[in-house]
Amino acid sequence: MNWFRGLGRRIWMLFRRKDFDADLDEEMRLHRELREQEEIERGLPAEEARYAAKRRFGNDLALREESRDMWGWGWLDNSIQDVRYGLRMLARNPGVTGVMIATLAIAIGATTAIFSVVYGVLLRSLPYPRPDRLVSISEVAADGHLMGFTDPNFADLRAANHTLDGMALAKSWPTTVSGAAGPARLGVAPVSADFFRVMEVAPILGRGFSRDEMQEGGTPAALVSYGYWRQHLGSSTDLSSFKLKAEDHTFSVVGVLPPGFSYPAHTELWVPAELFGAQSPSRTSHNWSAAVARLRGGVSLTQARSDLSVLAHRLHQQYKPEIDMTDASVTPLRAALTASIRPALLILLAAVGFLLLVGCANVANLLLARAVERERELAVRAALGAGRGRLVRQFLAESLLLSLAGGGLGVLLALGGVDGLLALAPPNLPRLEEVSVNLAVLGFALGIAVLVAVSLATATALRATAVDPQAGLGEGSRGASGSLASNRLARILAGGQMAVTLVLLAGAGLLGRSLLRVLSVDPGFRTSNILTMEIEVPASQPSSSIAAAIEAIKDTKPANFMSSLFDRLRALPGVEEVGGVSDVPLAEEGDCPDGKFLLLDRQPELDLTKPEDSARLDRLWSTAPGGEADYCVASEGYFKALAIPLLHGRLFDERDTANASHAAVISQSLARNTWPNQDPLGHTIEFGNMDGDMRLLTVVGVVGDVHDRSLEKPPDPIVYVDYRQRLRGERDFTVVVRGDVPPQVMLASARRIIHDLAPDVAPRFQTFQDVFSASLSTRRFNLTLVGSFAVSALLLAAVGIYGVMAYWVGRRTREFGIRMALGALPRNVLKHVLGHSLRTMAVGMLVGLGGAFVLTRTMESLLFGVAASDPLTFAGVALTLGAVAMLATYIPAHRATKVDPLVALRYE
Amino acid sequence: MHQNEIPPGTLYLLILKALARSGELHGYEIATWIEQVSDEVLQVEEGSLYPALQRMLVKGWVTAKWGVTAGNRRARYYHLTPLGRKQLEVEVSQFERVVAAITRAIQTA
């Protein structure tokens, strides 16, 4: 109680500081004046009376300070003093201060950026209720890899287990959804009946699925994500009017899920799984990509694991060989979602932690170098009675100022860095949408900054204040012997940094050269001024049954639709070529399917409805020669738009009608390998396993090879077929439009045309240039990551060498003075300093080269067109590092040559 | 007349006593009161009254308010709180114990 009141008074006093000082001043002045008056009355002359009063009163400055101290704010005064003094010291040498702040900014920034990714992806809990009780379960194959669930295995495990409180299945894929504000391509997830109960997620608007909706043949109903509701349904609270068309069903929207719910990843629409037909009785059809469950109350993860494992073994014994599950795995959901990225992130965190350590060591060296210059001042202060604690506090104030400035800048760097990382990251990394620089991350950065400050201050202060004041003040006391050991430590540190930096630089150099090599590959097609538009081709009717699929072969609607689309696009101003292909080269979404074809020269057509033809085909499959190729549906405009050269024969044209003999255009490598030294034109092949159409294909032309899967892989052999003859409805098809105007200009007109022809089709536009550069995104991401580490390490190494050498030169000012007094030329001194530094650096670089030689082998799979021990790269990075290091040495070395012998000698 | 520094630790006692006797005093009055009642044997380094008074304010032994002196000057007057009165008793009994102990020590031949 008392203590509280005391605290209250103190705080009150803190805010009335000015009044307090004025009051005290007035009070003391009154006292002195009254005393002075009394002395005058006693008969002293005025002057003497004033002195007497002053003498009797005492040192009023000290008394005033003492009075303030009584309120317990002495430490605050001292701290303010320390901070002011620290600011003055830092401002006195802005260059070094800037370097130190920049070092800390890089180190803290990099650490914060990587930590924000680690926090968002690995540490943050999932945005669902009681997330730590959620587990992901999978089947385990004999070789140990995880598989999705089959219907019967899942049902058996669910019925028999004693440790899980509800199990649910889900899967998700992107598909076209129309019916709201325009068609869109979204993730749609069929989920089993228990799904929302297991996740413990309820709609924030509307209702969940009813019993009727969750059975085969029930009324199609869908729950939508919060984001979809906001963007496409206009946040309307009346859901009854919304009907969404997707996957041959028309869904009523019955509810909206809470914001942040998106499991399985990227899902916007959840629908009852029962709509998609009966369960499969097979124990090898792993139809479900995701299975979640909740641990029963009081059950541990281990218990659940052994429970399911025993059950899975039992099922395996019971049903083998019709079952490929040998075990079941139970993983916390969060770990399961991030398993693919966890090791990489932890390695990054370790690497960045190392960077932080190196940065701190460097700043400590710089601070120490400066402390050496202040040795005398410190000795004076110690002699005047400043306690060691007070001196340590002084250093603490300075390093806090430094690390907070560095930390603040570092957070800014991290903000930019995280944005950059996210923009560059390949899209398949999990939970990236949860990464942000948030309060937890800022707290982390602050914590790091304070930790850095405390360790810097302690390290510097302990080494700097270890000086005995008497020795420090004594004449000619600059014996460097006491710090020889610590200087050796600093040199080992600098050398070590050189080594690590060289390894990182070599890695970055190799990746950079690889990227250049990849970019110089001729892809076999042009990429500029081409707009791509991916659509799902409309069909006459959905092909949900096998009979309908056979019927679909004869459906002429897809080809006709495409022809009219081509005509409309070609009529646009500025458009030069229009074409289409099932998948453009290098597309993220995938490439043309590949399979086995048969060479069937001079064979009559097969009609599979006749049993004898069917039997003949089976025989041919085992006897006839064939080969492997990609199967692409294309139009002649595709080759022209992408400038894929026609080498021989002809492209597709109007002659290739649905009923004419089916034409094939093949790629150059296929022609060379299948018909060496022959003319491939006129030969026939059978490629019916790709789309169920058994009609033979006759080769009519040969075109140039393209790098379709990746610039880094050799071109695949390709069989192109004519869209007029082989285009199927409900498949994705990509239209390419080349014009003499930028693709963005053509986009609006193309969208309008699609909307006119087929309002339900959701086109996905990209420039071909973007497709091309997206295919390099993983490579660019790796290079950026390793490159930024390498550049940071290079900067830090430069600072480190500078710090060590500045300290070394500072210690030897007198020695250089003597040398020069004895006739050494500046040139000699320079050589001496550079030579000294060179020895440290050479050792570090040798170790680094050795390390790089060993370590770059591990990244061989990431390289393209360069050897892991590419001598040019190694020489290049070694030279770069050497040059930077020499530059960092040159500044203190140059200072050594400027030592005036007279001043240096007198100074001591 | 030879003047003695007051024994350490007794400054609070003297201030508390002064205020208890006279009710309300400003700093200079406290100093002169101590001199007068001790026949000028005890003399405080006058300035040191003020840190002591501040500490007593923090402790809640005294309160202060601004008033006007007989000579029509603004001055800060201090007076005892009930807590200060209790503290005076504590300080007095402590002082007496110390004096008694020292007296015993001196008289032991």
Side-chain angles (χ1 to χ4, degrees), chain B residues 15-30 32-33 53 62-70 75-81 85:
Chain B
I15 298 174
L16 287 169
K17 187 69 191 171
L19 292 175
R21 285 292 300 270
S22 318
E24 212 178 47
L25 296 172
H26 60 68
Y28 182 67
E29 287 171 345
I30 297 173
T32 46
W33 184 87
L53 281 167
V62 299
T63 55
K65 69 168 192 277
W66 285 91
V68 182
T69 65
R76 180 146 57 178
Y77 285 94
Y78 296 87
H79 44 115
L80 275 190
T81 62
R85 224 167 271 285

Side-chain angles (χ1 to χ4, degrees), chain A residues 97-353:
Chain A
T97 303
V99 167
M100 290 195 285
I101 290 178
T103 305
L104 290 174
I106 291 171
I108 295 178
T111 314
T112 306
I114 297 297
F115 177 78
S116 65
V117 175
V118 169
Y119 177 78
V121 175
L122 296 186
L123 298 180
R124 205 172 192 181
S125 18
L126 297 170
Y128 316 126
R130 300 195 295 138
D132 46 326
R133 305 299 291 169
L134 276 174
V135 292
S136 156
I137 44 181
S138 338
E139 296 187 15
V140 180
D143 63 359
H145 82 259
L146 302 184
M147 303 181 291
F149 265 101
T150 65
D151 284 312
N153 286 346
F154 182 80
D156 289 344
L157 286 186
R158 185 167 63 170
N161 84 79
H162 303 291
T163 48
L164 299 176
D165 197 8
M167 284 166 63
L169 290 169
K171 53 186 160 184
S172 178
W173 64 80
T175 188
T176 302
V177 176
S178 59
R185 241 179 121 77
L186 308 170
V188 171
V191 296
S192 72
D194 279 345
F195 181 76
F196 293 105
R197 196 178 64 74
V198 171
M199 299 301 285
E200 289 182 7
V201 167
I204 53 164
L205 178 69
R207 55 172 178 86
F209 299 128
S210 69
R211 193 170 290 273
D212 163 60
E213 286 156 355
M214 291 191 291
Q215 58 188 354
E216 246 179 282
T219 324
L223 289 167
V224 298
S225 74
Y226 184 76
Y228 183 80
W229 178 63
R230 294 282 301 267
Q231 270 180 32
H232 294 262
L233 307 184
S235 305
S236 162
T237 50
D238 176 21
L239 300 174
S240 60
S241 57
F242 296 114
K243 300 273 184 266
L244 302 179
K245 284 204 301 197
E247 300 284 321
D248 308 334
H249 291 289
T250 302
F251 297 92
S252 318
V253 177
V254 298
V256 178
L257 291 171
F261 184 80
S262 68
Y263 182 82
H266 310 302
T267 302
E268 309 278 0
L269 216 64
W270 288 262
V271 299
E274 290 78 7
L275 274 179
F276 294 89
Q279 297 189 349
S280 154
S282 155
R283 288 189 189 266
T284 52
S285 300
H286 303 270
N287 290 327
W288 298 95
S289 53
V292 284
R294 237 173 229 284
L295 297 177
R296 195 164 276 183
V299 168
S300 75
L301 190 64
T302 332
Q303 285 167 324
R305 267 186 190 145
S306 57
D307 182 24
L308 286 205
S309 190
V310 166
L311 292 174
H313 278 113
R314 204 174 295 158
L315 286 176
H316 178 70
Q317 292 304 324
Q318 192 176 345
Y319 291 104
K320 69 183 175 184
E322 274 88 37
I323 186 170
D324 50 7
M325 169 176 75
T326 58
D327 197 356
S329 93
V330 181
T331 327
L333 185 58
R334 187 172 63 188
L337 288 177
T338 55
S340 59
I341 199 177
R342 172 186 295 265
L345 276 183
L346 292 183
I347 288 175
L348 271 184
L349 195 63
V352 92

Side-chain angles (χ1 to χ4, degrees), chain A residues 614-828:
Chain A
S614 213
R616 192 155 65 88
L617 181 67
D618 283 345
R619 261 200 320 281
L620 287 171
W621 268 104
S622 43
T623 56
E628 297 269 339
D630 288 1
Y631 177 85
C632 295
V633 182
S635 78
E636 59 276 19
Y638 165 70
F639 303 102
K640 292 178 188 160
L642 266 65
I644 300 169
L646 173 68
L647 304 173
H648 191 39
R650 66 168 176 97
L651 295 175
F652 305 123
D653 59 31
E654 298 298 334
R655 277 171 284 171
D656 304 320
T657 57
N659 296 319
S661 106
H662 283 197
V665 167
I666 60 175
S667 67
Q668 188 181 11
S669 56
L670 182 65
R672 200 170 44 228
N673 295 337
T674 314
W675 294 281
N677 307 318
Q678 285 181 55
D679 185 353
L681 298 192
H683 286 281
T684 52
I685 57 178
E686 197 281 323
F687 215 159
N689 54 333
M690 302 311 294
D691 62 355
D693 190 338
M694 291 299 159
R695 281 173 281 189
L696 298 183
L697 297 163
T698 306
V699 177
V700 298
V702 178
V703 293
D705 281 326
V706 295
H707 287 266
D708 56 337
R709 268 172 229 279
S710 157
L711 290 175
E712 299 168 32
K713 293 185 185 126
D716 286 322
I718 301 176
V719 172
Y720 298 96
V721 294
D722 194 335
Y723 79 100
R724 296 178 190 86
Q725 297 169 330
R726 295 284 182 136
L727 185 63
R728 294 284 162 272
E730 301 181 301
R731 300 271 171 90
D732 285 341
F733 198 69
T734 306
V735 177
V736 293
V737 184
R738 193 183 86 201
D740 55 9
V741 289
Q744 290 80 0
V745 178
M746 301 184 280
L747 197 145
S749 332
R751 190 189 293 279
R752 208 171 42 245
I753 289 172
I754 275 282
H755 187 75
D756 278 359
L757 288 175
D760 283 349
V761 169
R764 225 170 62 90
F765 290 99
Q766 261 183 304
T767 68
F768 195 35
Q769 193 66 51
D770 287 345
V771 174
F772 181 80
S773 72
S775 76
L776 297 170
S777 70
T778 304
R779 179 163 287 288
R780 211 175 286 130
F781 186 63
N782 289 341
L783 174 63
T784 312
L785 221 53
V786 177
S788 9
F789 270 111
V791 171
S792 309
L794 183 65
L795 287 176
L796 292 190
V799 172
I801 291 159
Y802 172 82
V804 171
M805 291 314 294
Y807 179 74
W808 191 77
V809 168
R811 278 262 172 215
R812 277 165 186 72
T813 307
R814 186 168 182 224
E815 178 194 326
F816 294 130
I818 294 172
R819 276 169 190 264
M820 288 170 76
L822 293 177
L825 296 172
R827 196 155 44 87
N828 304 120

Side-chain angles (χ1 to χ4, degrees), chain A residues 315-648:
Chain A
L315 286 176
H316 178 70
Q317 292 304 324
Q318 192 176 345
Y319 291 104
K320 69 183 175 184
E322 274 88 37
I323 186 170
D324 50 7
M325 169 176 75
T326 58
D327 197 356
S329 93
V330 181
T331 327
L333 185 58
R334 187 172 63 188
L337 288 177
T338 55
S340 59
I341 199 177
R342 172 186 295 265
L345 276 183
L346 292 183
I347 288 175
L348 271 184
L349 195 63
V352 92
F354 182 74
L355 208 65
L356 183 69
L357 277 181
V358 169
C360 286
N362 287 342
V363 173
N365 264 335
L366 287 174
L367 280 175
L368 194 69
R370 191 147 42 166
V372 169
E373 290 160 22
R374 281 161 59 183
E375 208 163 65
R376 194 168 279 258
E377 170 216 323
L378 291 173
V380 169
R381 293 182 62 177
L384 288 180
R388 199 164 175 188
R390 189 78 173 74
L391 292 181
V392 171
R393 261 198 0 217
Q394 173 59 50
F395 281 110
L396 187 62
E398 258 181 79
S399 37
L400 256 181
L401 285 172
L402 278 176
S403 72
L404 288 182
L409 276 178
V411 166
L412 291 183
L413 280 181
L415 278 172
V418 167
D419 284 352
L421 273 178
L422 293 184
L424 278 172
N428 53 356
L429 298 185
R431 291 195 84 195
L432 276 188
E433 68 281 359
E434 312 235 0
V435 173
S436 64
V437 178
N438 50 28
L439 267 186
V441 172
L442 290 180
F444 173 83
L446 182 68
I448 289 279
V450 170
L451 196 71
V452 165
V454 170
S455 26
L456 284 181
T458 321
T460 321
L462 288 186
R463 280 166 65 179
T465 58
V467 177
D468 173 14
Q470 242 182 336
L473 288 172
E475 240 5 82
S477 62
R478 195 145 291 198
S481 56
S483 60
L484 260 186
S486 61
N487 196 36
R488 184 173 311 132
L489 184 74
R491 284 181 64 187
I492 291 174
L493 207 74
Q497 279 178 60
M498 293 288 289
V500 173
T501 306
L502 195 72
V503 173
L504 281 170
L505 277 177
L510 289 172
L511 285 177
R513 293 245 306 157
S514 298
L515 182 63
L516 287 180
R517 281 287 168 85
V518 172
L519 285 175
S520 65
V521 168
D522 173 18
F525 50 82
R526 57 175 285 180
T527 57
S528 53
N529 282 353
I530 295 171
L531 180 70
T532 71
M533 174 171 77
E534 194 190 343
I535 56 171
E536 195 181 308
V537 181
S540 292
Q541 56 185 356
S543 55
S544 39
S545 66
I546 294 174
I550 289 180
E551 210 45 39
I553 293 177
K554 296 179 190 143
D555 188 3
T556 51
K557 184 178 174 189
N560 291 339
F561 170 81
M562 210 47 73
S563 293
S564 50
L565 178 58
F566 290 158
D567 288 343
R568 291 280 299 270
L569 289 170
R570 206 173 286 124
L572 288 175
V575 168
E576 290 167 345
E577 291 292 347
V578 177
V581 68
S582 36
D583 290 280
V584 288
L586 304 178
E588 253 174 77
E589 292 73 26
D591 30 41
C592 298
D594 59 335
K596 190 179 174 205
F597 62 87
L598 297 178
L599 295 175
L600 295 181
D601 284 335
R602 289 171 299 281
Q603 293 279 353
E605 293 262 320
L606 291 161
D607 181 354
L608 289 189
T609 53
K610 294 180 194 156
E612 66 270 23
D613 275 16
S614 213
R616 192 155 65 88
L617 181 67
D618 283 345
R619 261 200 320 281
L620 287 171
W621 268 104
S622 43
T623 56
E628 297 269 339
D630 288 1
Y631 177 85
C632 295
V633 182
S635 78
E636 59 276 19
Y638 165 70
F639 303 102
K640 292 178 188 160
L642 266 65
I644 300 169
L646 173 68
L647 304 173
H648 191 39

